[in-house]
Amino acid sequence: MTNWSPKILAIRIHSLAATFNRRYHRATALHRPSGPPKLSPYDVNCILRANEHTQEFFGGSVKSYDSNQLASNSPIEDSRSEASCVHTSGLLVGIFDGHGGPACSQVISKRLMRYIAASLVPPDDLRQHMLGGAQSFSFLSCHNDKARTLEFVSEIKELYEKSFNQFANELTNTTLAGFQMHQTLENAFIRLDQDLSREAIEMPSLRTMSVAMSGAVALVAHIDGPHLHVASVGDCSAVLGTVTDTGQWVAKKLTNEHNSDNVGEVRRLLSEHPATERDTVIRGERLLGQLAPLRAMGDFRYKWTREQLEQLVVPQFGEQVIAPYYLTPPYLSACPEITHHILTPRDKFLIIASDGLWDTMSAMQTVHLVGEHMYGKAFLQPLTLPKQDITLGEISQMLSTRKAGLQKKPLDRNAATHLIRNALGGTEYGVEHSKLSHMLSLPQDIVRLFRDDITITVIYFDSEYLPTELSHLMATEW
């Protein structure tokens, strides 16, 4: 046995350990998955900002809005739409979250807001527009250029225009005295859903059936002066960001999710079917054990009669298209739940988003993030001095304030992008680049396990347009 000195022994042990580590890492590297590529901050920003859009307004209660979306599914199943009504005042903003494919969400994102816009025109004026040859798209002025370029192919466009003309002509026979905003929004949702059904039944084709067999939840906000109406089916959500007298942010939810977690919604659904189906209408927290939202547009496999499904759908899609225990349809409703809110100067913004955002963040978290973003975004603008005389001391104070504020300067000008960045990369210590890079570089075959499509629109209100007295003057229902 060799007698090693302590120093030589330590060197020898260190050398053997280094050799072992090299061989171990070389061997395990052959079996180690390569993993997703690392994204640079520049790459991350390009991905996050690819679909963002900002629109500013002059006059009225809406100052601007920021919108963005990030896909998880390929193709993305979320859609969005933002437009001003041409023949009436007001802004329409919508989020549409599809399932079973993107067909239904893409179609209703364009058609639903046209139905609503036409419904808001007084009957006599609407009659004149229709006699003048008005088409559905002429009732809206779209603001998102990317959304505006998505037009329907010619044969399906003619079918959709025919349905719209029938609906608009029926509206001309109503009376202005009977106008109720709640009823108007409800009728637009239900009528479009009925048209989607009729079109697929009367003119079955690959396009009409793909819309009918897929589905979408929908949330539409209409803002006209101090009046904010939100109509929703499904699990998209709207949250109002309000500031208190003491400068604290308050998050006010204006929607309820229509799923099995909503006790009132479950009771409504069960009351519409025999007691013998109490254990089968909702199974595994899903409608008939299959669908998560309990209200949606499309999805006629949960609305048509069994005879209609057997005649129209089974030959093309097979017997499995009929859900187990399908006994007393319809099981699914397209009737929206509607909230009316009178805006005051304390209401600063409205966040509407698909559930891809709410899966990762609470309403209060989003309001805090947008509120901080509002403050920090001011420091992205160049410093401007007032026109009146100003002392060196005042300039020094302004520079000190700006220096402190620059620490809160956001990376993104767009608040929707800011929310997505925090939703995917946020930690208790702030946004972590490695986490964000990982979430954005997940392979397509597994990304849906970690995150859903995310679509967000943040609408900013003009506090100067909404005097405090307005909340008292406009307290009655519109």
Side-chain angles (χ1 to χ4, degrees):
M1 182 175 179
T2 305
N3 293 322
W4 302 97
S5 68
K7 183 177 181 180
I8 294 176
L9 182 61
I11 294 173
R12 181 64 174 169
I13 291 173
H14 178 77
S15 177
L16 290 171
T19 301
F20 173 80
N21 286 334
R22 283 196 302 271
R23 291 176 178 175
Y24 173 79
H25 288 296
R26 189 182 303 120
T28 56
L30 297 175
H31 306 284
R32 191 185 305 130
S34 59
K38 300 295 183 182
L39 300 177
S40 69
Y42 175 81
D43 295 329
V44 166
N45 289 339
C46 287
I47 294 172
L48 291 180
R49 296 170 182 171
N51 298 308
E52 67 181 12
H53 179 79
T54 296
Q55 186 74 34
E56 295 184 351
F57 301 94
F58 301 95
S61 57
V62 177
K63 183 185 299 183
S64 64
Y65 73 77
D66 289 339
S67 182
N68 200 354
Q69 64 181 176
L70 180 72
S72 170
N73 295 291
S74 181
I76 188 171
E77 294 182 339
D78 280 8
S79 296
R80 56 180 169 163
S81 190
E82 308 99 30
S84 294
C85 298
V86 172
H87 302 296
T88 59
S89 57
L91 176 71
L92 285 165
V93 183
I95 300 284
F96 311 90
D97 185 353
H99 47 263
C104 188
S105 69
Q106 289 178 354
V107 167
I108 66 172
S109 71
K110 296 187 70 66
R111 298 182 68 186
L112 179 57
M113 296 172 74
R114 297 175 182 184
Y115 276 50
I116 294 173
S119 302
L120 299 174
V121 180
D124 289 342
D125 293 342
L126 180 60
R127 187 179 300 110
Q128 293 302 315
H129 292 309
M130 298 308 296
L131 290 174
Q135 293 184 297
S136 63
F137 62 83
S138 64
F139 286 84
L140 292 174
S141 175
C142 296
H143 300 299
N144 191 332
D145 290 336
K146 292 182 180 179
R148 189 164 57 215
T149 59
L150 296 173
E151 288 298 338
F152 302 120
V153 293
S154 58
E155 67 269 19
I156 209 75
K157 180 179 179 180
E158 293 177 3
L159 176 62
Y160 291 165
E161 281 298 315
K162 181 180 178 181
S163 295
F164 176 83
N165 286 337
Q166 291 176 347
F167 173 60
N169 287 325
E170 290 175 16
L171 290 174
T172 62
N173 296 321
T174 60
T175 59
L176 183 61
F179 178 86
Q180 291 288 333
M181 190 62 174
H182 279 65
Q183 191 65 48
T184 297
L185 291 171
E186 183 177 303
N187 287 344
F189 271 73
I190 294 175
R191 178 54 181 266
L192 176 56
D193 199 58
Q194 291 172 344
D195 284 349
L196 296 177
S197 173
R198 179 182 50 78
E199 290 157 3
I201 292 173
E202 295 180 359
M203 296 188 65
S205 67
L206 179 61
R207 294 185 184 278
T208 58
M209 290 302 293
S210 65
V211 174
M213 289 300 99
S214 60
V217 298
L219 187 154
V220 175
H222 178 263
I223 306 139
D224 188 359
H227 295 282
L228 167 62
H229 287 86
V230 177
S232 174
V233 292
D235 54 10
C236 294
S237 295
V239 175
L240 191 67
T242 302
V243 67
T244 66
D245 288 334
T246 58
Q248 301 297 311
W249 286 107
V250 175
K252 180 179 180 180
K253 281 198 69 175
L254 300 181
T255 52
N256 296 306
E257 292 79 26
H258 302 131
N259 54 33
S260 60
D261 293 330
N262 184 332
V263 176
E265 187 69 5
V266 171
R267 288 174 178 166
R268 176 197 66 79
L269 182 59
L270 292 177
S271 71
E272 296 173 355
H273 299 276
T276 54
E277 294 186 66
R278 186 173 185 85
D279 296 329
T280 59
V281 171
I282 297 178
R283 294 185 300 120
E285 300 183 346
R286 289 173 175 264
L287 181 70
L288 297 175
Q290 296 183 347
L291 189 68
L294 303 183
R295 298 193 201 189
M297 303 188 73
D299 284 317
F300 293 105
R301 57 182 295 196
Y302 305 108
K303 298 174 182 176
W304 285 343
T305 66
R306 193 179 191 93
E307 291 73 20
Q308 287 174 314
L309 291 177
E310 290 174 344
Q311 179 183 354
L312 296 169
V313 184
V314 170
Q316 186 174 353
F317 295 93
E319 288 284 349
Q320 68 276 7
V321 77
I322 303 179
Y325 306 102
Y326 195 81
L327 304 173
T328 56
Y331 289 92
L332 192 64
S333 172
C335 182
E337 187 173 3
I338 299 164
T339 301
H340 178 217
H341 177 80
I342 298 291
L343 295 170
T344 74
R346 299 198 186 284
D347 300 320
K348 301 303 180 183
F349 52 81
L350 176 72
I351 304 169
I352 64 173
S354 59
D355 66 341
L357 175 67
W358 311 113
D359 288 342
T360 62
M361 282 189 177
S362 69
M364 196 67 246
Q365 285 175 310
T366 61
V367 166
H368 273 299
L369 283 168
V370 174
E372 291 173 357
H373 185 266
M374 281 180 59
Y375 174 72
K377 192 166 62 171
F379 296 98
L380 291 173
Q381 307 299 325
L383 176 64
T384 56
L385 297 176
K387 294 182 179 180
Q388 64 269 23
D389 293 338
I390 186 171
T391 66
L392 289 175
E394 291 171 332
I395 293 176
S396 177
Q397 182 61 43
M398 290 176 63
L399 291 174
S400 298
T401 302
R402 184 173 178 83
K403 182 178 180 180
L406 286 173
Q407 298 176 1
K408 296 185 178 181
K409 181 180 70 173
L411 289 174
D412 306 293
R413 290 180 179 271
N414 187 295
T417 308
H418 182 66
L419 285 176
I420 295 175
R421 185 185 296 275
N422 280 272
L424 300 185
T427 69
E428 57 182 321
Y429 304 107
V431 176
E432 185 179 289
H433 172 73
S434 60
K435 181 181 178 183
L436 191 55
S437 172
H438 175 72
M439 293 296 288
L440 292 176
S441 56
L442 291 169
Q444 188 58 52
D445 57 342
I446 67 167
V447 62
R448 187 61 183 83
L449 300 174
F450 292 87
R451 59 179 177 87
D452 197 358
D453 298 331
I454 302 175
T455 303
I456 306 169
T457 301
V458 181
I459 304 107
Y460 293 98
F461 303 119
D462 189 345
S463 298
E464 295 181 2
Y465 181 86
L466 298 167
T468 306
E469 295 81 13
L470 208 53
S471 61
H472 302 292
L473 295 174
M474 299 291 184
T476 58
E477 177 64 31
W478 183 39

